[in-house]
Amino acid sequence: MRQNPSFAMTDVGEIRRLIDLHPWVTLVSQTDDGLVASHYAVMLDDTRDDLTIVGHVGKPDDVILGLGDRELLVVVQGPHGYITPRWYGDVPAVPTWNFVSAHLSGIPELLSAEENIRVLDRLVDRFEGDGADARGLYTLPNDAAFVERLERGTVGFRLTPTRVTAKRKLSQNRSPEVIDTIIAGLGSDNPGLAAEMQRAADARVRP
């Protein structure tokens, strides 16, 4: 992802927020047969306060990706959408695409079976929520033996990125009036992007 200083996102807290809100990521690896990509959910490592993530892949994706042996690129995609030049007013303009995205690269560490089960347990809890009918990893009819068999079909990993490129392109190069028009134009059609643009705009004017 080509970086542009005007749109660079360097704050670790903001990148952590992006990962937390958009955990469904793309894993990309270079192999002898060319590029390969897989899609999995990841989480921030709850024992760290940096950009370390944990996750798992199903076998044989670990072999296909070369997990633990070569560099892995993790693509995190946040809100994004088309921006029409109509929102710029009566001036020469072309359309563009606003987005928030981060690329995390590094060689992942493979987790032990015990660590992998802990991550799987956290992952299920994260998305099941805490409702009365939430079904955790160990909720019956699942039992410990079932979970152990499940774990053997997966490979857990921890990635502390050695390279990070994060970009937040949200019309920062436009006037506040144009940004307001874009946010209003996105409206209910793309509320996620509209909310992200509003949040960024509010942060810029905050004393």
mmCIF file of all heavy atoms in Angstrom, residues 130-169:
data_model
loop_
_atom_site.group_PDB
_atom_site.id
_atom_site.type_symbol
_atom_site.label_atom_id
_atom_site.label_comp_id
_atom_site.label_asym_id
_atom_site.label_seq_id
_atom_site.Cartn_x
_atom_site.Cartn_y
_atom_site.Cartn_z
ATOM 1 N N ASP A 130 -22.146 -12.079 25.476
ATOM 2 C CA ASP A 130 -22.441 -12.542 26.836
ATOM 3 C C ASP A 130 -23.935 -12.737 27.080
ATOM 4 O O ASP A 130 -24.403 -12.672 28.204
ATOM 5 C CB ASP A 130 -21.869 -11.567 27.869
ATOM 6 C CG ASP A 130 -22.359 -10.136 27.654
ATOM 7 O OD1 ASP A 130 -23.206 -9.922 26.753
ATOM 8 O OD2 ASP A 130 -21.897 -9.239 28.377
ATOM 9 N N GLY A 131 -24.683 -12.970 26.011
ATOM 10 C CA GLY A 131 -26.115 -13.215 26.165
ATOM 11 C C GLY A 131 -26.385 -14.530 26.867
ATOM 12 O O GLY A 131 -25.519 -15.415 26.974
ATOM 13 N N ALA A 132 -27.601 -14.670 27.349
ATOM 14 C CA ALA A 132 -27.970 -15.875 28.098
ATOM 15 C C ALA A 132 -27.839 -17.128 27.244
ATOM 16 O O ALA A 132 -27.617 -18.228 27.780
ATOM 17 C CB ALA A 132 -29.394 -15.732 28.624
ATOM 18 N N ASP A 133 -28.002 -17.002 25.932
ATOM 19 C CA ASP A 133 -27.935 -18.168 25.053
ATOM 20 C C ASP A 133 -26.580 -18.292 24.351
ATOM 21 O O ASP A 133 -26.436 -19.077 23.413
ATOM 22 C CB ASP A 133 -29.049 -18.112 24.010
ATOM 23 C CG ASP A 133 -28.950 -16.878 23.123
ATOM 24 O OD1 ASP A 133 -28.216 -15.929 23.492
ATOM 25 O OD2 ASP A 133 -29.614 -16.849 22.066
ATOM 26 N N ALA A 134 -25.571 -17.514 24.803
ATOM 27 C CA ALA A 134 -24.244 -17.594 24.183
ATOM 28 C C ALA A 134 -23.680 -19.000 24.344
ATOM 29 O O ALA A 134 -23.794 -19.613 25.409
ATOM 30 C CB ALA A 134 -23.309 -16.571 24.815
ATOM 31 N N ARG A 135 -23.092 -19.504 23.283
ATOM 32 C CA ARG A 135 -22.556 -20.859 23.321
ATOM 33 C C ARG A 135 -21.032 -20.806 23.251
ATOM 34 O O ARG A 135 -20.446 -20.600 22.192
ATOM 35 C CB ARG A 135 -23.119 -21.684 22.160
ATOM 36 C CG ARG A 135 -22.612 -23.116 22.160
ATOM 37 C CD ARG A 135 -23.426 -24.004 21.276
ATOM 38 N NE ARG A 135 -22.783 -25.300 21.110
ATOM 39 C CZ ARG A 135 -23.354 -26.349 20.520
ATOM 40 N NH1 ARG A 135 -24.578 -26.238 20.035
ATOM 41 N NH2 ARG A 135 -22.707 -27.482 20.401
ATOM 42 N N GLY A 136 -20.402 -20.980 24.399
ATOM 43 C CA GLY A 136 -18.958 -20.943 24.485
ATOM 44 C C GLY A 136 -18.322 -22.194 23.921
ATOM 45 O O GLY A 136 -19.004 -23.181 23.587
ATOM 46 N N LEU A 137 -17.016 -22.179 23.830
ATOM 47 C CA LEU A 137 -16.297 -23.306 23.254
ATOM 48 C C LEU A 137 -16.548 -24.598 24.031
ATOM 49 O O LEU A 137 -16.624 -25.676 23.449
ATOM 50 C CB LEU A 137 -14.795 -22.992 23.219
ATOM 51 C CG LEU A 137 -13.886 -23.981 22.484
ATOM 52 C CD1 LEU A 137 -14.247 -24.045 21.001
ATOM 53 C CD2 LEU A 137 -12.425 -23.588 22.659
ATOM 54 N N TYR A 138 -16.682 -24.472 25.344
ATOM 55 C CA TYR A 138 -16.852 -25.657 26.187
ATOM 56 C C TYR A 138 -18.306 -25.880 26.622
ATOM 57 O O TYR A 138 -18.578 -26.725 27.465
ATOM 58 C CB TYR A 138 -15.973 -25.554 27.431
ATOM 59 C CG TYR A 138 -14.506 -25.758 27.152
ATOM 60 C CD1 TYR A 138 -13.673 -24.666 26.913
ATOM 61 C CD2 TYR A 138 -13.946 -27.026 27.116
ATOM 62 C CE1 TYR A 138 -12.318 -24.846 26.659
ATOM 63 C CE2 TYR A 138 -12.593 -27.217 26.867
ATOM 64 C CZ TYR A 138 -11.783 -26.122 26.639
ATOM 65 O OH TYR A 138 -10.450 -26.296 26.397
ATOM 66 N N THR A 139 -19.229 -25.122 26.052
ATOM 67 C CA THR A 139 -20.644 -25.305 26.406
ATOM 68 C C THR A 139 -21.146 -26.645 25.873
ATOM 69 O O THR A 139 -20.893 -27.000 24.717
ATOM 70 C CB THR A 139 -21.493 -24.160 25.823
ATOM 71 O OG1 THR A 139 -21.023 -22.909 26.344
ATOM 72 C CG2 THR A 139 -22.964 -24.333 26.187
ATOM 73 N N LEU A 140 -21.838 -27.382 26.709
ATOM 74 C CA LEU A 140 -22.390 -28.671 26.280
ATOM 75 C C LEU A 140 -23.303 -28.492 25.069
ATOM 76 O O LEU A 140 -24.000 -27.477 24.969
ATOM 77 C CB LEU A 140 -23.163 -29.312 27.437
ATOM 78 C CG LEU A 140 -22.316 -29.737 28.645
ATOM 79 C CD1 LEU A 140 -23.224 -30.222 29.777
ATOM 80 C CD2 LEU A 140 -21.322 -30.831 28.257
ATOM 81 N N PRO A 141 -23.285 -29.423 24.108
ATOM 82 C CA PRO A 141 -22.692 -30.765 24.177
ATOM 83 C C PRO A 141 -21.197 -30.850 23.890
ATOM 84 O O PRO A 141 -20.648 -31.948 23.820
ATOM 85 C CB PRO A 141 -23.488 -31.535 23.122
ATOM 86 C CG PRO A 141 -23.824 -30.504 22.102
ATOM 87 C CD PRO A 141 -24.090 -29.242 22.884
ATOM 88 N N ASN A 142 -20.506 -29.699 23.704
ATOM 89 C CA ASN A 142 -19.055 -29.759 23.572
ATOM 90 C C ASN A 142 -18.437 -30.185 24.899
ATOM 91 O O ASN A 142 -18.930 -29.797 25.965
ATOM 92 C CB ASN A 142 -18.482 -28.397 23.185
ATOM 93 C CG ASN A 142 -18.914 -27.922 21.810
ATOM 94 O OD1 ASN A 142 -19.659 -28.606 21.115
ATOM 95 N ND2 ASN A 142 -18.460 -26.749 21.428
ATOM 96 N N ASP A 143 -17.366 -30.952 24.832
ATOM 97 C CA ASP A 143 -16.620 -31.275 26.038
ATOM 98 C C ASP A 143 -15.131 -31.120 25.740
ATOM 99 O O ASP A 143 -14.741 -30.772 24.612
ATOM 100 C CB ASP A 143 -16.945 -32.685 26.541
ATOM 101 C CG ASP A 143 -16.670 -33.775 25.498
ATOM 102 O OD1 ASP A 143 -15.937 -33.509 24.526
ATOM 103 O OD2 ASP A 143 -17.200 -34.890 25.661
ATOM 104 N N ALA A 144 -14.281 -31.357 26.736
ATOM 105 C CA ALA A 144 -12.846 -31.141 26.583
ATOM 106 C C ALA A 144 -12.258 -32.002 25.465
ATOM 107 O O ALA A 144 -11.406 -31.541 24.695
ATOM 108 C CB ALA A 144 -12.138 -31.417 27.899
ATOM 109 N N ALA A 145 -12.715 -33.239 25.359
ATOM 110 C CA ALA A 145 -12.195 -34.125 24.313
ATOM 111 C C ALA A 145 -12.537 -33.588 22.929
ATOM 112 O O ALA A 145 -11.715 -33.630 22.004
ATOM 113 C CB ALA A 145 -12.754 -35.537 24.492
ATOM 114 N N PHE A 146 -13.770 -33.073 22.783
ATOM 115 C CA PHE A 146 -14.178 -32.504 21.495
ATOM 116 C C PHE A 146 -13.310 -31.296 21.157
ATOM 117 O O PHE A 146 -12.849 -31.141 20.014
ATOM 118 C CB PHE A 146 -15.653 -32.095 21.558
ATOM 119 C CG PHE A 146 -16.126 -31.335 20.357
ATOM 120 C CD1 PHE A 146 -16.528 -31.998 19.207
ATOM 121 C CD2 PHE A 146 -16.160 -29.940 20.361
ATOM 122 C CE1 PHE A 146 -16.952 -31.296 18.082
ATOM 123 C CE2 PHE A 146 -16.585 -29.230 19.242
ATOM 124 C CZ PHE A 146 -16.981 -29.922 18.105
ATOM 125 N N VAL A 147 -13.064 -30.416 22.140
ATOM 126 C CA VAL A 147 -12.272 -29.214 21.910
ATOM 127 C C VAL A 147 -10.837 -29.584 21.536
ATOM 128 O O VAL A 147 -10.235 -28.974 20.650
ATOM 129 C CB VAL A 147 -12.293 -28.305 23.153
ATOM 130 C CG1 VAL A 147 -11.313 -27.138 22.991
ATOM 131 C CG2 VAL A 147 -13.703 -27.769 23.389
ATOM 132 N N GLU A 148 -10.288 -30.609 22.186
ATOM 133 C CA GLU A 148 -8.929 -31.029 21.863
ATOM 134 C C GLU A 148 -8.842 -31.565 20.429
ATOM 135 O O GLU A 148 -7.873 -31.308 19.719
ATOM 136 C CB GLU A 148 -8.467 -32.089 22.860
ATOM 137 C CG GLU A 148 -8.197 -31.518 24.247
ATOM 138 C CD GLU A 148 -7.946 -32.585 25.285
ATOM 139 O OE1 GLU A 148 -7.849 -33.780 24.906
ATOM 140 O OE2 GLU A 148 -7.840 -32.240 26.477
ATOM 141 N N ARG A 149 -9.859 -32.295 19.990
ATOM 142 C CA ARG A 149 -9.873 -32.779 18.607
ATOM 143 C C ARG A 149 -9.981 -31.605 17.641
ATOM 144 O O ARG A 149 -9.327 -31.580 16.587
ATOM 145 C CB ARG A 149 -11.035 -33.758 18.382
ATOM 146 C CG ARG A 149 -10.855 -35.106 19.064
ATOM 147 C CD ARG A 149 -11.837 -36.131 18.513
ATOM 148 N NE ARG A 149 -13.236 -35.721 18.655
ATOM 149 C CZ ARG A 149 -13.966 -35.959 19.744
ATOM 150 N NH1 ARG A 149 -13.434 -36.590 20.791
ATOM 151 N NH2 ARG A 149 -15.227 -35.573 19.795
ATOM 152 N N LEU A 150 -10.802 -30.630 17.994
ATOM 153 C CA LEU A 150 -10.944 -29.428 17.170
ATOM 154 C C LEU A 150 -9.608 -28.708 17.047
ATOM 155 O O LEU A 150 -9.202 -28.298 15.950
ATOM 156 C CB LEU A 150 -11.990 -28.498 17.797
ATOM 157 C CG LEU A 150 -12.146 -27.116 17.169
ATOM 158 C CD1 LEU A 150 -12.840 -27.226 15.827
ATOM 159 C CD2 LEU A 150 -12.945 -26.192 18.094
ATOM 160 N N GLU A 151 -8.914 -28.556 18.168
ATOM 161 C CA GLU A 151 -7.643 -27.840 18.176
ATOM 162 C C GLU A 151 -6.629 -28.510 17.265
ATOM 163 O O GLU A 151 -5.850 -27.825 16.586
ATOM 164 C CB GLU A 151 -7.112 -27.766 19.611
ATOM 165 C CG GLU A 151 -5.881 -26.879 19.786
ATOM 166 C CD GLU A 151 -4.579 -27.550 19.363
ATOM 167 O OE1 GLU A 151 -4.484 -28.804 19.493
ATOM 168 O OE2 GLU A 151 -3.675 -26.845 18.871
ATOM 169 N N ARG A 152 -6.629 -29.827 17.210
ATOM 170 C CA ARG A 152 -5.643 -30.536 16.391
ATOM 171 C C ARG A 152 -5.841 -30.286 14.904
ATOM 172 O O ARG A 152 -4.939 -30.534 14.103
ATOM 173 C CB ARG A 152 -5.694 -32.043 16.695
ATOM 174 C CG ARG A 152 -5.105 -32.388 18.062
ATOM 175 C CD ARG A 152 -4.830 -33.887 18.170
ATOM 176 N NE ARG A 152 -6.059 -34.672 18.203
ATOM 177 C CZ ARG A 152 -6.713 -35.002 19.313
ATOM 178 N NH1 ARG A 152 -6.265 -34.583 20.498
ATOM 179 N NH2 ARG A 152 -7.810 -35.741 19.266
ATOM 180 N N GLY A 153 -6.996 -29.778 14.518
ATOM 181 C CA GLY A 153 -7.254 -29.440 13.119
ATOM 182 C C GLY A 153 -6.905 -28.009 12.775
ATOM 183 O O GLY A 153 -7.156 -27.563 11.646
ATOM 184 N N THR A 154 -6.339 -27.287 13.731
ATOM 185 C CA THR A 154 -5.994 -25.886 13.514
ATOM 186 C C THR A 154 -4.547 -25.631 13.925
ATOM 187 O O THR A 154 -3.933 -26.427 14.637
ATOM 188 C CB THR A 154 -6.911 -24.941 14.330
ATOM 189 O OG1 THR A 154 -6.608 -25.082 15.727
ATOM 190 C CG2 THR A 154 -8.379 -25.251 14.089
ATOM 191 N N VAL A 155 -4.018 -24.503 13.497
ATOM 192 C CA VAL A 155 -2.693 -24.048 13.909
ATOM 193 C C VAL A 155 -2.820 -22.603 14.357
ATOM 194 O O VAL A 155 -3.225 -21.737 13.573
ATOM 195 C CB VAL A 155 -1.668 -24.171 12.766
ATOM 196 C CG1 VAL A 155 -0.322 -23.566 13.184
ATOM 197 C CG2 VAL A 155 -1.484 -25.624 12.359
ATOM 198 N N GLY A 156 -2.510 -22.363 15.623
ATOM 199 C CA GLY A 156 -2.583 -21.003 16.148
ATOM 200 C C GLY A 156 -1.286 -20.246 15.909
ATOM 201 O O GLY A 156 -0.208 -20.843 15.807
ATOM 202 N N PHE A 157 -1.400 -18.927 15.829
ATOM 203 C CA PHE A 157 -0.194 -18.112 15.600
ATOM 204 C C PHE A 157 -0.293 -16.789 16.336
ATOM 205 O O PHE A 157 -1.385 -16.300 16.653
ATOM 206 C CB PHE A 157 0.030 -17.870 14.108
ATOM 207 C CG PHE A 157 -0.998 -16.989 13.454
ATOM 208 C CD1 PHE A 157 -0.846 -15.602 13.413
ATOM 209 C CD2 PHE A 157 -2.131 -17.536 12.868
ATOM 210 C CE1 PHE A 157 -1.806 -14.790 12.814
ATOM 211 C CE2 PHE A 157 -3.096 -16.730 12.266
ATOM 212 C CZ PHE A 157 -2.924 -15.361 12.240
ATOM 213 N N ARG A 158 0.858 -16.243 16.592
ATOM 214 C CA ARG A 158 1.002 -14.888 17.160
ATOM 215 C C ARG A 158 1.910 -14.111 16.221
ATOM 216 O O ARG A 158 2.992 -14.582 15.870
ATOM 217 C CB ARG A 158 1.594 -14.947 18.560
ATOM 218 C CG ARG A 158 1.877 -13.557 19.183
ATOM 219 C CD ARG A 158 2.518 -13.675 20.557
ATOM 220 N NE ARG A 158 1.558 -14.197 21.533
ATOM 221 C CZ ARG A 158 1.617 -15.416 22.065
ATOM 222 N NH1 ARG A 158 2.588 -16.257 21.687
ATOM 223 N NH2 ARG A 158 0.715 -15.813 22.935
ATOM 224 N N LEU A 159 1.461 -12.932 15.809
ATOM 225 C CA LEU A 159 2.256 -12.109 14.893
ATOM 226 C C LEU A 159 2.537 -10.757 15.536
ATOM 227 O O LEU A 159 1.606 -9.990 15.802
ATOM 228 C CB LEU A 159 1.523 -11.910 13.568
ATOM 229 C CG LEU A 159 2.218 -10.971 12.568
ATOM 230 C CD1 LEU A 159 3.499 -11.607 12.050
ATOM 231 C CD2 LEU A 159 1.311 -10.611 11.411
ATOM 232 N N THR A 160 3.794 -10.498 15.809
ATOM 233 C CA THR A 160 4.235 -9.160 16.202
ATOM 234 C C THR A 160 4.838 -8.522 14.963
ATOM 235 O O THR A 160 5.915 -8.931 14.513
ATOM 236 C CB THR A 160 5.283 -9.228 17.326
ATOM 237 O OG1 THR A 160 4.710 -9.877 18.466
ATOM 238 C CG2 THR A 160 5.730 -7.827 17.730
ATOM 239 N N PRO A 161 4.147 -7.572 14.357
ATOM 240 C CA PRO A 161 4.597 -7.066 13.058
ATOM 241 C C PRO A 161 5.933 -6.337 13.149
ATOM 242 O O PRO A 161 6.177 -5.569 14.082
ATOM 243 C CB PRO A 161 3.465 -6.124 12.632
ATOM 244 C CG PRO A 161 2.744 -5.768 13.880
ATOM 245 C CD PRO A 161 2.890 -6.932 14.797
ATOM 246 N N THR A 162 6.770 -6.606 12.163
ATOM 247 C CA THR A 162 8.035 -5.883 12.035
ATOM 248 C C THR A 162 7.906 -4.723 11.053
ATOM 249 O O THR A 162 8.775 -3.853 11.012
ATOM 250 C CB THR A 162 9.151 -6.837 11.565
ATOM 251 O OG1 THR A 162 8.732 -7.511 10.370
ATOM 252 C CG2 THR A 162 9.437 -7.887 12.637
ATOM 253 N N ARG A 163 6.843 -4.730 10.267
ATOM 254 C CA ARG A 163 6.542 -3.619 9.360
ATOM 255 C C ARG A 163 5.055 -3.335 9.425
ATOM 256 O O ARG A 163 4.232 -4.250 9.367
ATOM 257 C CB ARG A 163 6.935 -3.944 7.914
ATOM 258 C CG ARG A 163 8.444 -4.044 7.692
ATOM 259 C CD ARG A 163 8.788 -4.165 6.224
ATOM 260 N NE ARG A 163 8.294 -5.414 5.653
ATOM 261 C CZ ARG A 163 7.528 -5.510 4.587
ATOM 262 N NH1 ARG A 163 7.115 -4.423 3.968
ATOM 263 N NH2 ARG A 163 7.146 -6.689 4.134
ATOM 264 N N VAL A 164 4.709 -2.056 9.550
ATOM 265 C CA VAL A 164 3.312 -1.639 9.620
ATOM 266 C C VAL A 164 3.108 -0.457 8.678
ATOM 267 O O VAL A 164 3.860 0.521 8.726
ATOM 268 C CB VAL A 164 2.907 -1.226 11.052
ATOM 269 C CG1 VAL A 164 1.458 -0.721 11.079
ATOM 270 C CG2 VAL A 164 3.091 -2.381 12.025
ATOM 271 N N THR A 165 2.109 -0.566 7.816
ATOM 272 C CA THR A 165 1.678 0.563 6.995
ATOM 273 C C THR A 165 0.184 0.722 7.204
ATOM 274 O O THR A 165 -0.582 -0.207 6.920
ATOM 275 C CB THR A 165 1.950 0.324 5.495
ATOM 276 O OG1 THR A 165 3.333 0.034 5.303
ATOM 277 C CG2 THR A 165 1.589 1.564 4.685
ATOM 278 N N ALA A 166 -0.210 1.857 7.716
ATOM 279 C CA ALA A 166 -1.632 2.103 7.977
ATOM 280 C C ALA A 166 -2.026 3.433 7.340
ATOM 281 O O ALA A 166 -1.266 4.411 7.387
ATOM 282 C CB ALA A 166 -1.922 2.123 9.471
ATOM 283 N N LYS A 167 -3.198 3.445 6.762
ATOM 284 C CA LYS A 167 -3.621 4.615 5.987
ATOM 285 C C LYS A 167 -5.085 4.916 6.274
ATOM 286 O O LYS A 167 -5.927 4.021 6.293
ATOM 287 C CB LYS A 167 -3.417 4.325 4.494
ATOM 288 C CG LYS A 167 -3.501 5.525 3.571
ATOM 289 C CD LYS A 167 -3.005 5.130 2.186
ATOM 290 C CE LYS A 167 -3.038 6.269 1.203
ATOM 291 N NZ LYS A 167 -2.503 5.870 -0.120
ATOM 292 N N ARG A 168 -5.359 6.204 6.492
ATOM 293 C CA ARG A 168 -6.730 6.655 6.727
ATOM 294 C C ARG A 168 -6.996 7.791 5.744
ATOM 295 O O ARG A 168 -6.616 8.935 5.980
ATOM 296 C CB ARG A 168 -6.885 7.105 8.183
ATOM 297 C CG ARG A 168 -8.250 7.627 8.536
ATOM 298 C CD ARG A 168 -8.476 7.688 10.042
ATOM 299 N NE ARG A 168 -7.362 8.301 10.739
ATOM 300 C CZ ARG A 168 -7.190 8.254 12.061
ATOM 301 N NH1 ARG A 168 -8.056 7.617 12.814
ATOM 302 N NH2 ARG A 168 -6.176 8.859 12.632
ATOM 303 N N LYS A 169 -7.621 7.457 4.637
ATOM 304 C CA LYS A 169 -7.913 8.440 3.585
ATOM 305 C C LYS A 169 -9.386 8.821 3.709
ATOM 306 O O LYS A 169 -10.277 8.099 3.251
ATOM 307 C CB LYS A 169 -7.621 7.857 2.200
ATOM 308 C CG LYS A 169 -7.896 8.805 1.048
ATOM 309 C CD LYS A 169 -7.550 8.148 -0.283
ATOM 310 C CE LYS A 169 -7.928 9.030 -1.453
ATOM 311 N NZ LYS A 169 -9.405 9.186 -1.573
#
